[in-house]
Amino acid sequence: GAVVSQHPSWVICKSGTSVKIECRSLDFQATTMFWYRQFPKQSLMLMATSNEGSKATYEQGVEKDKFLINHASLTLSTLTVTSAHPEDSSFYICSASGRVPYEQYFGPGTRLTVT
Amino acid sequence: DQQVKQNSPSLSVQEGRISILNCDYTNSMFDYFLWYKKYPAEGPTFLISISSIKDKNEDGRFTVFLNKSAKHLSLHIVPSQPGDSAVYFCAASGGSGGYQKVTFGTGTKLQVIP
């Protein structure tokens, strides 16, 4: 149980275009979903927290107009990277919580490469 | 400000021996701690957790120890197996961030040598 999926697993896009990444909790209702970014050999950096039906809470330094987060249902959250640039290239990981307090279940991640 | 620190970026252990991964935290308001295992290009997998009301939690080969006075926790894996080779992240929650927000350490890469 506690399976979280992400789609796509990897994506290559051209600079200036937008990319949408989906995060789904497959076997539980996720009241809260999180989006992280990981740079090579670095820790997971929390970008934003989203609760179903409400606006996402962004961490300091994360541009909310660039990284659009939607959490429309208890099983789906989306991250849209708008007007992507090469510096946005990274590994994006979502997680979901809801089954057990304090514990997050992570998706497999999405590798974004902006050319 | 790194509130959760894993000072050893890597660790090598012989198969069958004990692996000990360490983690220190600075925020005394943290009261729930977790360990995650991560393979390259995959999301972290939850391993084991411990509440601050305990000092030890055991699950099979994995045991987490918490020393609140020292703000230190450790993960023991015994016996270590080659499949345990991965990056291990320590994480903490509670305090002003609430229980849903988890702060991660920088990770320790464990290599178990057959």
Side-chain angles (χ1 to χ4, degrees):
Chain A
V3 178
V4 176
S5 71
Q6 270 185 252
H7 178 80
S9 56
W10 61 271
V11 58
I12 301 173
C13 71
K14 291 188 176 181
S15 187
T17 61
S18 295
V19 175
K20 179 184 283 189
I21 303 170
E22 291 187 350
C23 176
R24 293 181 185 272
S25 58
L26 299 184
D27 56 356
F28 68 102
Q29 293 186 325
T31 52
T32 306
M33 286 186 168
F34 306 83
W35 287 94
Y36 294 84
R37 182 173 179 176
Q38 186 182 28
F39 294 99
K41 297 185 180 180
Q42 292 190 26
S43 184
L44 299 168
M45 183 192 79
L46 178 65
M47 299 174 66
T49 303
S50 72
N51 292 296
E52 185 263 339
S54 59
K55 290 184 178 179
T57 302
Y58 290 81
E59 294 299 302
Q60 191 173 11
V62 178
E63 299 175 61
K64 62 180 181 180
D65 294 330
K66 180 169 187 58
F67 298 99
L68 301 179
I69 292 172
N70 183 276
H71 191 166
S73 76
L74 286 172
T75 60
L76 173 65
S77 176
T78 60
L79 167 67
T80 302
V81 183
T82 63
S83 187
H85 290 283
E87 57 265 31
D88 298 325
S89 299
S90 192
F91 192 58
Y92 292 88
I93 306 175
C94 74
S95 71
S97 68
R99 279 171 58 110
V100 179
Y102 319 150
E103 291 175 4
Q104 297 181 26
Y105 298 90
F106 287 81
T110 297
R111 169 70 61 190
L112 170 63
T113 301
V114 184
T115 61
Chain B
D1 176 32
Q2 190 70 34
Q3 296 188 66
V4 180
K5 302 177 183 178
Q6 293 175 257
N7 293 318
S8 297
S10 63
L11 173 69
S12 289
V13 172
Q14 206 72 31
E15 180 180 4
R17 306 293 290 268
I18 184 171
S19 295
I20 300 176
L21 295 94
N22 294 303
C23 177
D24 297 293
Y25 61 95
T26 57
N27 189 339
S28 58
M29 298 300 291
F30 286 144
D31 60 4
Y32 196 78
F33 305 90
L34 311 96
W35 283 94
Y36 287 87
K37 176 181 180 180
K38 185 181 183 300
Y39 294 113
E42 292 184 14
T45 302
F46 170 74
L47 266 180
I48 192 169
S49 61
I50 188 168
S51 163
S52 61
I53 63 173
K54 294 184 175 182
D55 55 17
K56 176 183 175 180
N57 189 25
E58 189 173 354
D59 184 2
R61 296 187 298 114
F62 302 91
T63 303
V64 56
F65 295 92
L66 174 63
N67 182 334
K68 284 182 293 182
S69 61
K71 296 190 182 69
H72 176 85
L73 63 155
S74 61
L75 174 68
H76 293 209
I77 306 173
V78 56
S80 301
Q81 299 173 354
D84 295 330
S85 298
V87 176
Y88 289 78
F89 287 98
C90 168
S93 68
S96 61
Y99 292 109
Q100 291 183 321
K101 182 176 176 179
V102 174
T103 301
F104 284 86
T106 49
T108 296
K109 184 176 183 179
L110 172 66
Q111 182 183 18
V112 179
I113 304 166

